[in-house]
Amino acid sequence: MKVVIPGGTGQVGTILDRALTAEGHAVVLLTRSPKGERQVHWDGSTLGDWAKQINGSDVVINLAGRSVSCRYTVENLEAMMSSRVESARVVGEAIAEAARPPKVWMQMSTATIYAHRFDAANDEYGGLIGGGERGVPGYWAYSVKIAQDWEGAQEQAAATPDTRKVALRSAMVMSPDRGGVFDVLSWLARLGLGGPVAGGRQYVSWIHDQDFARAIRFLIERDDLTGAVNLAAPGPLPQREFMRELRSAWRMPVGLPATRLMAEVGAFAIRSDTELLLKSRRVTPGRLSDAGFTFGYPKWQTAAEDLASRRRRG
C-alpha cells in the first residue's frame, strides 16, 4: 500500500517510515526540507503539487506540527496551534479534492488533551478532558485547547465521505533513536539525575516504538474504528517509579531528586518546559484493548530494558 506521512521526518515519522518500508509499503514523506527521493516538499498550510501524492494513496498519517520540546512562550504556543490546525485543514482539503481519496486519514493528536489527575486513569470513554483543573499553571489549559482544535480541524475538514478518520491521542513514543524523549531521559538517568521531580507522584504515559507502529497497522486494518483512539501502553506509572525502572535498565543505582524550582531551572537550560515533567498524564488504551490489540510491551520495566539494550547495540 501507499502511505503518505505529512511531517514525517521527525522522531515519530522516522519510526513509522522504518516500520512500514521494512514491510514493503511505499512511503512518501511530506516535509518543508526534502532531502531524499521519497521526500516531497510542502509548506503545511497551502495546497500544492504535494497533493498529487495523496490522490491514489491508501493511507495518510498527518504528524505535522511544531515540536513541543521548547519554552512555552506565547509565540511558541501560537506556533504549535497554527502549525497543527493549518496542516490538518490543508490535508483535509487535499483529500476532499482527490479523485481517488485514501481509505484512512490518521491525524496525530496528544494524550495531553486529558486532565492532570492522580485518582484514576483517562480512557476514551470516561476520561476527563483537561483545561479546568485547579492548582496548575494557567497556560496548561492552552495546551489542551491546542489538542482540541487539532482534532477539531480533522473533524470539521472539507467533506471526505470515503475516508475514515482516526485521531491518535498519543502518549510519549519511546524509541532508542538519538534526540527522542527516551534519549533525553536516558541521558539524565545515566548522569545520576534521573530521580523524582517535585515528589514524583505525577503519572507518565508512554508507548514503546514497536507497539506504536503495530497499533498504527492495526488501526489501518480495522475499518470499524473511527474517532479518538489512545495510543498508550496500559501501564502508566508515577514518575518516580518510571525513572527508577529507567535507571535500572541503565544499571544506574542513583537518581538525585529535583524540586519544582530545580525542574524550572533545568527546563530553562535545555529550552523546554516543565509541563512536560509535571503534568500527570494517566492515560490508558481503552478502545485499542477492547478491539483486541495486544501490546508487546505493556509494562515499562521490560520496555525500558529493550530500549536500553537496542541503544547499546547502536
Side-chain angles (χ1 to χ4, degrees):
M1 64 182 176
K2 179 180 179 180
V3 182
V4 179
I5 308 180
T9 56
Q11 184 210 7
V12 175
T14 298
I15 291 167
L16 288 181
D17 183 23
R18 185 166 56 215
L20 293 169
T21 54
E23 294 177 356
H25 302 297
V27 179
V28 175
L29 310 177
L30 303 184
T31 174
R32 295 175 186 272
S33 303
K35 296 179 180 178
E37 61 180 18
R38 292 189 295 107
Q39 298 186 12
V40 175
H41 178 266
W42 83 324
D43 65 3
S45 60
T46 56
L47 286 174
D49 286 344
W50 60 266
K52 297 176 183 177
Q53 299 294 334
I54 287 180
N55 186 28
S57 66
D58 298 289
V59 181
V60 173
I61 308 172
N62 184 23
L63 306 178
R66 193 206 192 286
S67 172
V68 299
S69 183
C70 64
R71 296 297 296 168
Y72 283 12
T73 63
V74 171
E75 180 181 6
N76 286 341
L77 287 170
E78 290 178 350
M80 288 182 207
M81 174 73 85
S82 62
S83 62
R84 284 159 173 73
V85 171
E86 286 300 300
S87 66
R89 176 191 58 78
V90 78
V91 166
E93 290 179 3
I95 292 174
E97 292 189 4
R100 291 179 296 155
K103 295 179 180 179
V104 188
W105 170 15
M106 295 188 183
Q107 175 62 52
M108 194 65 167
S109 182
T110 173
T112 296
I113 198 170
Y114 292 110
H116 167 80
R117 66 189 302 193
F118 302 91
D119 57 334
N122 290 308
D123 63 14
E124 302 93 332
Y125 306 116
L128 301 179
I129 301 300
E133 304 96 318
R134 295 181 179 180
V136 302
Y139 72 90
W140 285 15
Y142 193 74
S143 295
V144 174
K145 179 171 173 53
I146 290 173
Q148 291 176 309
D149 287 4
W150 203 3
E151 293 185 8
Q154 183 192 35
E155 294 171 4
Q156 300 158 17
T160 56
D162 298 317
T163 301
R164 177 167 53 96
K165 299 177 183 178
V166 181
L168 307 172
R169 291 181 177 173
S170 179
M172 293 187 294
V173 183
M174 299 291 178
S175 82
D177 300 302
R178 293 191 180 278
V181 63
F182 180 79
D183 185 34
V184 174
L185 294 175
S186 293
W187 174 71
L188 293 172
R190 294 167 77 179
L191 287 176
L193 302 176
V197 175
R201 290 180 57 242
Q202 65 273 26
Y203 275 78
V204 178
S205 289
W206 56 276
I207 185 169
H208 188 281
D209 65 331
Q210 293 175 2
D211 280 338
F212 180 85
R214 289 178 54 247
I216 293 296
R217 293 194 297 270
F218 182 85
L219 290 170
I220 290 172
E221 295 166 1
R222 287 293 298 262
D223 57 11
D224 58 325
L225 292 176
T226 63
V229 176
N230 291 350
L231 296 187
L237 67 171
Q239 186 266 345
R240 59 175 175 267
E241 297 177 21
F242 178 89
M243 292 306 297
R244 183 170 62 238
E245 297 292 359
L246 180 58
R247 295 196 310 270
S248 176
W250 286 110
R251 304 183 183 93
M252 170 55 72
V254 177
L256 297 178
T259 64
R260 182 181 291 264
L261 177 59
M262 293 167 65
E264 289 279 1
V265 173
F268 183 83
I270 63 174
R271 303 181 66 80
S272 187
D273 197 273
T274 53
E275 184 194 30
L276 302 174
L277 296 172
L278 300 179
K279 182 171 181 177
S280 185
R281 296 172 173 84
R282 192 174 182 182
V283 179
T284 52
R287 297 190 70 197
L288 268 182
S289 295
D290 287 351
F293 181 78
T294 301
F295 285 82
Y297 295 91
K299 301 296 183 182
W300 176 236
Q301 179 182 4
T302 53
E305 290 173 351
D306 173 76
L307 292 165
S309 175
R310 288 164 60 196
R311 179 57 184 272
R312 290 189 188 99
R313 296 196 303 268

PDB file of all heavy atoms in Angstrom, residues 6 30 42-48 50-51 54 62 64 83-97 105 107 153 157-158:
ATOM      1  N   PRO A   6       2.572  13.365   6.095  1.00  0.00           N
ATOM      2  CA  PRO A   6       2.951  14.767   6.261  1.00  0.00           C
ATOM      3  C   PRO A   6       3.660  14.968   7.599  1.00  0.00           C
ATOM      4  O   PRO A   6       3.243  14.415   8.627  1.00  0.00           O
ATOM      5  CB  PRO A   6       1.600  15.497   6.250  1.00  0.00           C
ATOM      6  CG  PRO A   6       0.662  14.561   5.544  1.00  0.00           C
ATOM      7  CD  PRO A   6       1.112  13.200   5.949  1.00  0.00           C
ATOM      8  N   LEU A  30       6.053  14.069   3.470  1.00  0.00           N
ATOM      9  CA  LEU A  30       5.889  15.479   3.122  1.00  0.00           C
ATOM     10  C   LEU A  30       6.638  16.314   4.145  1.00  0.00           C
ATOM     11  O   LEU A  30       6.415  16.173   5.355  1.00  0.00           O
ATOM     12  CB  LEU A  30       4.412  15.867   3.106  1.00  0.00           C
ATOM     13  CG  LEU A  30       3.490  15.066   2.187  1.00  0.00           C
ATOM     14  CD1 LEU A  30       2.078  15.653   2.213  1.00  0.00           C
ATOM     15  CD2 LEU A  30       4.019  15.023   0.766  1.00  0.00           C
ATOM     16  N   TRP A  42       6.368  20.427   0.984  1.00  0.00           N
ATOM     17  CA  TRP A  42       5.100  21.104   1.232  1.00  0.00           C
ATOM     18  C   TRP A  42       5.350  22.171   2.279  1.00  0.00           C
ATOM     19  O   TRP A  42       6.381  22.156   2.956  1.00  0.00           O
ATOM     20  CB  TRP A  42       4.010  20.107   1.659  1.00  0.00           C
ATOM     21  CG  TRP A  42       4.014  19.754   3.131  1.00  0.00           C
ATOM     22  CD1 TRP A  42       5.085  19.595   3.961  1.00  0.00           C
ATOM     23  CD2 TRP A  42       2.851  19.524   3.933  1.00  0.00           C
ATOM     24  NE1 TRP A  42       4.677  19.262   5.223  1.00  0.00           N
ATOM     25  CE2 TRP A  42       3.307  19.223   5.236  1.00  0.00           C
ATOM     26  CE3 TRP A  42       1.486  19.540   3.687  1.00  0.00           C
ATOM     27  CZ2 TRP A  42       2.431  18.932   6.282  1.00  0.00           C
ATOM     28  CZ3 TRP A  42       0.625  19.252   4.722  1.00  0.00           C
ATOM     29  CH2 TRP A  42       1.093  18.950   6.003  1.00  0.00           C
ATOM     30  N   ASP A  43       4.412  23.125   2.426  1.00  0.00           N
ATOM     31  CA  ASP A  43       4.597  24.174   3.426  1.00  0.00           C
ATOM     32  C   ASP A  43       3.675  24.006   4.624  1.00  0.00           C
ATOM     33  O   ASP A  43       3.702  24.801   5.558  1.00  0.00           O
ATOM     34  CB  ASP A  43       4.420  25.562   2.808  1.00  0.00           C
ATOM     35  CG  ASP A  43       2.990  25.812   2.316  1.00  0.00           C
ATOM     36  OD1 ASP A  43       2.119  24.940   2.506  1.00  0.00           O
ATOM     37  OD2 ASP A  43       2.757  26.891   1.734  1.00  0.00           O
ATOM     38  N   GLY A  44       2.840  22.981   4.603  1.00  0.00           N
ATOM     39  CA  GLY A  44       1.985  22.692   5.750  1.00  0.00           C
ATOM     40  C   GLY A  44       0.750  23.550   5.865  1.00  0.00           C
ATOM     41  O   GLY A  44       0.004  23.419   6.851  1.00  0.00           O
ATOM     42  N   SER A  45       0.486  24.403   4.878  1.00  0.00           N
ATOM     43  CA  SER A  45      -0.674  25.277   5.013  1.00  0.00           C
ATOM     44  C   SER A  45      -1.398  25.571   3.704  1.00  0.00           C
ATOM     45  O   SER A  45      -2.535  26.039   3.732  1.00  0.00           O
ATOM     46  CB  SER A  45      -0.266  26.612   5.657  1.00  0.00           C
ATOM     47  OG  SER A  45       0.698  27.283   4.866  1.00  0.00           O
ATOM     48  N   THR A  46      -0.751  25.323   2.569  1.00  0.00           N
ATOM     49  CA  THR A  46      -1.407  25.616   1.291  1.00  0.00           C
ATOM     50  C   THR A  46      -1.316  24.407   0.364  1.00  0.00           C
ATOM     51  O   THR A  46      -0.351  23.647   0.402  1.00  0.00           O
ATOM     52  CB  THR A  46      -0.760  26.833   0.590  1.00  0.00           C
ATOM     53  OG1 THR A  46       0.648  26.591   0.419  1.00  0.00           O
ATOM     54  CG2 THR A  46      -0.962  28.096   1.394  1.00  0.00           C
ATOM     55  N   LEU A  47      -2.332  24.260  -0.479  1.00  0.00           N
ATOM     56  CA  LEU A  47      -2.314  23.184  -1.458  1.00  0.00           C
ATOM     57  C   LEU A  47      -1.222  23.423  -2.495  1.00  0.00           C
ATOM     58  O   LEU A  47      -0.921  24.564  -2.847  1.00  0.00           O
ATOM     59  CB  LEU A  47      -3.672  23.088  -2.158  1.00  0.00           C
ATOM     60  CG  LEU A  47      -4.828  22.483  -1.355  1.00  0.00           C
ATOM     61  CD1 LEU A  47      -6.125  22.613  -2.142  1.00  0.00           C
ATOM     62  CD2 LEU A  47      -4.552  21.021  -1.026  1.00  0.00           C
ATOM     63  N   GLY A  48      -0.629  22.343  -2.975  1.00  0.00           N
ATOM     64  CA  GLY A  48       0.430  22.433  -3.972  1.00  0.00           C
ATOM     65  C   GLY A  48       0.569  21.103  -4.685  1.00  0.00           C
ATOM     66  O   GLY A  48      -0.286  20.211  -4.564  1.00  0.00           O
ATOM     67  N   TRP A  50       2.268  18.706  -3.938  1.00  0.00           N
ATOM     68  CA  TRP A  50       2.333  17.597  -2.985  1.00  0.00           C
ATOM     69  C   TRP A  50       0.993  16.848  -2.888  1.00  0.00           C
ATOM     70  O   TRP A  50       0.962  15.663  -2.565  1.00  0.00           O
ATOM     71  CB  TRP A  50       2.743  18.092  -1.600  1.00  0.00           C
ATOM     72  CG  TRP A  50       1.800  19.106  -1.000  1.00  0.00           C
ATOM     73  CD1 TRP A  50       1.904  20.463  -1.068  1.00  0.00           C
ATOM     74  CD2 TRP A  50       0.611  18.842  -0.246  1.00  0.00           C
ATOM     75  NE1 TRP A  50       0.859  21.069  -0.409  1.00  0.00           N
ATOM     76  CE2 TRP A  50       0.049  20.090   0.106  1.00  0.00           C
ATOM     77  CE3 TRP A  50      -0.035  17.677   0.161  1.00  0.00           C
ATOM     78  CZ2 TRP A  50      -1.122  20.211   0.846  1.00  0.00           C
ATOM     79  CZ3 TRP A  50      -1.213  17.787   0.906  1.00  0.00           C
ATOM     80  CH2 TRP A  50      -1.737  19.041   1.239  1.00  0.00           C
ATOM     81  N   ALA A  51      -0.107  17.560  -3.166  1.00  0.00           N
ATOM     82  CA  ALA A  51      -1.427  16.935  -3.044  1.00  0.00           C
ATOM     83  C   ALA A  51      -1.596  15.768  -4.006  1.00  0.00           C
ATOM     84  O   ALA A  51      -2.424  14.880  -3.779  1.00  0.00           O
ATOM     85  CB  ALA A  51      -2.514  17.983  -3.274  1.00  0.00           C
ATOM     86  N   ILE A  54      -1.329  12.392  -2.398  1.00  0.00           N
ATOM     87  CA  ILE A  54      -2.476  11.894  -1.636  1.00  0.00           C
ATOM     88  C   ILE A  54      -3.497  11.242  -2.551  1.00  0.00           C
ATOM     89  O   ILE A  54      -4.134  10.243  -2.187  1.00  0.00           O
ATOM     90  CB  ILE A  54      -3.083  13.047  -0.813  1.00  0.00           C
ATOM     91  CG1 ILE A  54      -2.151  13.363   0.365  1.00  0.00           C
ATOM     92  CG2 ILE A  54      -4.491  12.706  -0.335  1.00  0.00           C
ATOM     93  CD1 ILE A  54      -2.614  14.476   1.268  1.00  0.00           C
ATOM     94  N   ASN A  62      -1.055  12.144   9.272  1.00  0.00           N
ATOM     95  CA  ASN A  62      -0.548  13.512   9.428  1.00  0.00           C
ATOM     96  C   ASN A  62       0.086  13.706  10.799  1.00  0.00           C
ATOM     97  O   ASN A  62      -0.604  13.698  11.821  1.00  0.00           O
ATOM     98  CB  ASN A  62      -1.673  14.525   9.220  1.00  0.00           C
ATOM     99  CG  ASN A  62      -1.153  15.948   9.285  1.00  0.00           C
ATOM    100  OD1 ASN A  62       0.037  16.208   9.065  1.00  0.00           O
ATOM    101  ND2 ASN A  62      -2.030  16.882   9.595  1.00  0.00           N
ATOM    102  N   ALA A  64       2.262  16.422  11.265  1.00  0.00           N
ATOM    103  CA  ALA A  64       2.849  17.760  11.203  1.00  0.00           C
ATOM    104  C   ALA A  64       2.462  18.616  12.404  1.00  0.00           C
ATOM    105  O   ALA A  64       1.331  18.570  12.888  1.00  0.00           O
ATOM    106  CB  ALA A  64       2.432  18.455   9.908  1.00  0.00           C
ATOM    107  N   SER A  83       0.463  25.591  13.412  1.00  0.00           N
ATOM    108  CA  SER A  83       1.073  24.545  12.586  1.00  0.00           C
ATOM    109  C   SER A  83       0.237  23.274  12.593  1.00  0.00           C
ATOM    110  O   SER A  83       0.154  22.573  11.570  1.00  0.00           O
ATOM    111  CB  SER A  83       2.495  24.247  13.076  1.00  0.00           C
ATOM    112  OG  SER A  83       2.501  23.755  14.408  1.00  0.00           O
ATOM    113  N   ARG A  84      -0.409  22.978  13.698  1.00  0.00           N
ATOM    114  CA  ARG A  84      -1.236  21.781  13.778  1.00  0.00           C
ATOM    115  C   ARG A  84      -2.572  21.967  13.067  1.00  0.00           C
ATOM    116  O   ARG A  84      -2.993  21.129  12.259  1.00  0.00           O
ATOM    117  CB  ARG A  84      -1.461  21.400  15.251  1.00  0.00           C
ATOM    118  CG  ARG A  84      -0.244  20.750  15.880  1.00  0.00           C
ATOM    119  CD  ARG A  84      -0.247  20.825  17.408  1.00  0.00           C
ATOM    120  NE  ARG A  84       0.849  20.048  17.962  1.00  0.00           N
ATOM    121  CZ  ARG A  84       2.129  20.413  17.914  1.00  0.00           C
ATOM    122  NH1 ARG A  84       2.467  21.557  17.327  1.00  0.00           N
ATOM    123  NH2 ARG A  84       3.068  19.650  18.446  1.00  0.00           N
ATOM    124  N   VAL A  85      -3.235  23.057  13.374  1.00  0.00           N
ATOM    125  CA  VAL A  85      -4.561  23.290  12.786  1.00  0.00           C
ATOM    126  C   VAL A  85      -4.468  23.491  11.273  1.00  0.00           C
ATOM    127  O   VAL A  85      -5.258  22.931  10.506  1.00  0.00           O
ATOM    128  CB  VAL A  85      -5.221  24.507  13.458  1.00  0.00           C
ATOM    129  CG1 VAL A  85      -6.501  24.902  12.718  1.00  0.00           C
ATOM    130  CG2 VAL A  85      -5.536  24.189  14.923  1.00  0.00           C
ATOM    131  N   GLU A  86      -3.503  24.288  10.824  1.00  0.00           N
ATOM    132  CA  GLU A  86      -3.374  24.564   9.395  1.00  0.00           C
ATOM    133  C   GLU A  86      -3.020  23.304   8.607  1.00  0.00           C
ATOM    134  O   GLU A  86      -3.548  23.076   7.513  1.00  0.00           O
ATOM    135  CB  GLU A  86      -2.329  25.651   9.160  1.00  0.00           C
ATOM    136  CG  GLU A  86      -2.798  27.042   9.540  1.00  0.00           C
ATOM    137  CD  GLU A  86      -4.017  27.462   8.736  1.00  0.00           C
ATOM    138  OE1 GLU A  86      -3.921  27.514   7.500  1.00  0.00           O
ATOM    139  OE2 GLU A  86      -5.074  27.706   9.361  1.00  0.00           O
ATOM    140  N   SER A  87      -2.118  22.489   9.151  1.00  0.00           N
ATOM    141  CA  SER A  87      -1.735  21.278   8.422  1.00  0.00           C
ATOM    142  C   SER A  87      -2.908  20.308   8.325  1.00  0.00           C
ATOM    143  O   SER A  87      -3.134  19.692   7.275  1.00  0.00           O
ATOM    144  CB  SER A  87      -0.536  20.593   9.095  1.00  0.00           C
ATOM    145  OG  SER A  87      -0.869  20.089  10.367  1.00  0.00           O
ATOM    146  N   ALA A  88      -3.687  20.176   9.406  1.00  0.00           N
ATOM    147  CA  ALA A  88      -4.848  19.292   9.359  1.00  0.00           C
ATOM    148  C   ALA A  88      -5.882  19.819   8.357  1.00  0.00           C
ATOM    149  O   ALA A  88      -6.483  19.047   7.606  1.00  0.00           O
ATOM    150  CB  ALA A  88      -5.469  19.156  10.744  1.00  0.00           C
ATOM    151  N   ARG A  89      -6.079  21.126   8.351  1.00  0.00           N
ATOM    152  CA  ARG A  89      -7.042  21.723   7.415  1.00  0.00           C
ATOM    153  C   ARG A  89      -6.657  21.447   5.969  1.00  0.00           C
ATOM    154  O   ARG A  89      -7.484  21.015   5.162  1.00  0.00           O
ATOM    155  CB  ARG A  89      -7.129  23.231   7.654  1.00  0.00           C
ATOM    156  CG  ARG A  89      -8.034  23.956   6.652  1.00  0.00           C
ATOM    157  CD  ARG A  89      -7.871  25.463   6.757  1.00  0.00           C
ATOM    158  NE  ARG A  89      -6.496  25.899   6.538  1.00  0.00           N
ATOM    159  CZ  ARG A  89      -5.930  25.998   5.344  1.00  0.00           C
ATOM    160  NH1 ARG A  89      -6.605  25.674   4.243  1.00  0.00           N
ATOM    161  NH2 ARG A  89      -4.675  26.408   5.228  1.00  0.00           N
ATOM    162  N   VAL A  90      -5.376  21.671   5.627  1.00  0.00           N
ATOM    163  CA  VAL A  90      -4.976  21.541   4.230  1.00  0.00           C
ATOM    164  C   VAL A  90      -4.890  20.074   3.803  1.00  0.00           C
ATOM    165  O   VAL A  90      -5.152  19.741   2.641  1.00  0.00           O
ATOM    166  CB  VAL A  90      -3.649  22.289   3.971  1.00  0.00           C
ATOM    167  CG1 VAL A  90      -2.443  21.503   4.475  1.00  0.00           C
ATOM    168  CG2 VAL A  90      -3.499  22.629   2.501  1.00  0.00           C
ATOM    169  N   VAL A  91      -4.572  19.172   4.718  1.00  0.00           N
ATOM    170  CA  VAL A  91      -4.623  17.743   4.399  1.00  0.00           C
ATOM    171  C   VAL A  91      -6.062  17.352   4.074  1.00  0.00           C
ATOM    172  O   VAL A  91      -6.324  16.608   3.122  1.00  0.00           O
ATOM    173  CB  VAL A  91      -4.056  16.892   5.552  1.00  0.00           C
ATOM    174  CG1 VAL A  91      -4.429  15.424   5.380  1.00  0.00           C
ATOM    175  CG2 VAL A  91      -2.540  17.033   5.629  1.00  0.00           C
ATOM    176  N   GLY A  92      -7.003  17.877   4.857  1.00  0.00           N
ATOM    177  CA  GLY A  92      -8.409  17.605   4.580  1.00  0.00           C
ATOM    178  C   GLY A  92      -8.826  18.117   3.214  1.00  0.00           C
ATOM    179  O   GLY A  92      -9.592  17.454   2.493  1.00  0.00           O
ATOM    180  N   GLU A  93      -8.330  19.293   2.831  1.00  0.00           N
ATOM    181  CA  GLU A  93      -8.641  19.835   1.512  1.00  0.00           C
ATOM    182  C   GLU A  93      -8.087  18.946   0.405  1.00  0.00           C
ATOM    183  O   GLU A  93      -8.760  18.709  -0.616  1.00  0.00           O
ATOM    184  CB  GLU A  93      -8.070  21.252   1.386  1.00  0.00           C
ATOM    185  CG  GLU A  93      -8.778  22.287   2.253  1.00  0.00           C
ATOM    186  CD  GLU A  93      -8.159  23.661   2.112  1.00  0.00           C
ATOM    187  OE1 GLU A  93      -7.224  23.818   1.295  1.00  0.00           O
ATOM    188  OE2 GLU A  93      -8.609  24.590   2.815  1.00  0.00           O
ATOM    189  N   ALA A  94      -6.866  18.456   0.592  1.00  0.00           N
ATOM    190  CA  ALA A  94      -6.252  17.587  -0.424  1.00  0.00           C
ATOM    191  C   ALA A  94      -7.033  16.294  -0.572  1.00  0.00           C
ATOM    192  O   ALA A  94      -7.233  15.788  -1.691  1.00  0.00           O
ATOM    193  CB  ALA A  94      -4.802  17.302  -0.049  1.00  0.00           C
ATOM    194  N   ILE A  95      -7.486  15.743   0.550  1.00  0.00           N
ATOM    195  CA  ILE A  95      -8.271  14.504   0.494  1.00  0.00           C
ATOM    196  C   ILE A  95      -9.609  14.760  -0.190  1.00  0.00           C
ATOM    197  O   ILE A  95     -10.070  13.960  -1.021  1.00  0.00           O
ATOM    198  CB  ILE A  95      -8.471  13.931   1.912  1.00  0.00           C
ATOM    199  CG1 ILE A  95      -7.133  13.446   2.483  1.00  0.00           C
ATOM    200  CG2 ILE A  95      -9.497  12.796   1.898  1.00  0.00           C
ATOM    201  CD1 ILE A  95      -7.196  13.007   3.930  1.00  0.00           C
ATOM    202  N   ALA A  96     -10.238  15.880   0.130  1.00  0.00           N
ATOM    203  CA  ALA A  96     -11.541  16.201  -0.459  1.00  0.00           C
ATOM    204  C   ALA A  96     -11.447  16.386  -1.969  1.00  0.00           C
ATOM    205  O   ALA A  96     -12.400  16.069  -2.699  1.00  0.00           O
ATOM    206  CB  ALA A  96     -12.099  17.470   0.185  1.00  0.00           C
ATOM    207  N   GLU A  97     -10.323  16.885  -2.455  1.00  0.00           N
ATOM    208  CA  GLU A  97     -10.167  17.126  -3.887  1.00  0.00           C
ATOM    209  C   GLU A  97      -9.641  15.913  -4.647  1.00  0.00           C
ATOM    210  O   GLU A  97      -9.605  15.924  -5.885  1.00  0.00           O
ATOM    211  CB  GLU A  97      -9.220  18.317  -4.107  1.00  0.00           C
ATOM    212  CG  GLU A  97      -9.796  19.650  -3.650  1.00  0.00           C
ATOM    213  CD  GLU A  97      -8.951  20.824  -4.078  1.00  0.00           C
ATOM    214  OE1 GLU A  97      -7.950  20.610  -4.806  1.00  0.00           O
ATOM    215  OE2 GLU A  97      -9.284  21.961  -3.684  1.00  0.00           O
ATOM    216  N   TRP A 105      -7.543   8.373   7.065  1.00  0.00           N
ATOM    217  CA  TRP A 105      -6.771   9.568   7.423  1.00  0.00           C
ATOM    218  C   TRP A 105      -6.558   9.523   8.929  1.00  0.00           C
ATOM    219  O   TRP A 105      -7.495   9.674   9.700  1.00  0.00           O
ATOM    220  CB  TRP A 105      -7.508  10.822   7.007  1.00  0.00           C
ATOM    221  CG  TRP A 105      -6.932  12.114   7.541  1.00  0.00           C
ATOM    222  CD1 TRP A 105      -5.702  12.310   8.105  1.00  0.00           C
ATOM    223  CD2 TRP A 105      -7.586  13.389   7.551  1.00  0.00           C
ATOM    224  NE1 TRP A 105      -5.543  13.624   8.465  1.00  0.00           N
ATOM    225  CE2 TRP A 105      -6.678  14.313   8.129  1.00  0.00           C
ATOM    226  CE3 TRP A 105      -8.828  13.851   7.129  1.00  0.00           C
ATOM    227  CZ2 TRP A 105      -7.001  15.658   8.311  1.00  0.00           C
ATOM    228  CZ3 TRP A 105      -9.147  15.188   7.295  1.00  0.00           C
ATOM    229  CH2 TRP A 105      -8.247  16.071   7.876  1.00  0.00           C
ATOM    230  N   GLN A 107      -4.853  11.305  12.061  1.00  0.00           N
ATOM    231  CA  GLN A 107      -4.391  12.620  12.448  1.00  0.00           C
ATOM    232  C   GLN A 107      -3.740  12.536  13.829  1.00  0.00           C
ATOM    233  O   GLN A 107      -4.363  12.118  14.786  1.00  0.00           O
ATOM    234  CB  GLN A 107      -5.566  13.593  12.499  1.00  0.00           C
ATOM    235  CG  GLN A 107      -5.234  14.974  13.014  1.00  0.00           C
ATOM    236  CD  GLN A 107      -4.219  15.677  12.139  1.00  0.00           C
ATOM    237  OE1 GLN A 107      -4.390  15.762  10.925  1.00  0.00           O
ATOM    238  NE2 GLN A 107      -3.157  16.165  12.747  1.00  0.00           N
ATOM    239  N   ALA A 153      -9.939  20.315  13.780  1.00  0.00           N
ATOM    240  CA  ALA A 153      -9.592  20.612  12.383  1.00  0.00           C
ATOM    241  C   ALA A 153      -9.798  19.390  11.507  1.00  0.00           C
ATOM    242  O   ALA A 153     -10.166  19.512  10.332  1.00  0.00           O
ATOM    243  CB  ALA A 153      -8.151  21.103  12.296  1.00  0.00           C
ATOM    244  N   ALA A 157     -13.001  19.183   8.772  1.00  0.00           N
ATOM    245  CA  ALA A 157     -12.352  19.351   7.472  1.00  0.00           C
ATOM    246  C   ALA A 157     -13.365  19.239   6.346  1.00  0.00           C
ATOM    247  O   ALA A 157     -14.494  18.774   6.533  1.00  0.00           O
ATOM    248  CB  ALA A 157     -11.252  18.304   7.304  1.00  0.00           C
ATOM    249  N   ALA A 158     -12.905  19.639   5.168  1.00  0.00           N
ATOM    250  CA  ALA A 158     -13.750  19.523   3.982  1.00  0.00           C
ATOM    251  C   ALA A 158     -14.294  18.104   3.856  1.00  0.00           C
ATOM    252  O   ALA A 158     -13.701  17.149   4.363  1.00  0.00           O
ATOM    253  CB  ALA A 158     -12.926  19.898   2.749  1.00  0.00           C
TER     254      ALA A 158
END
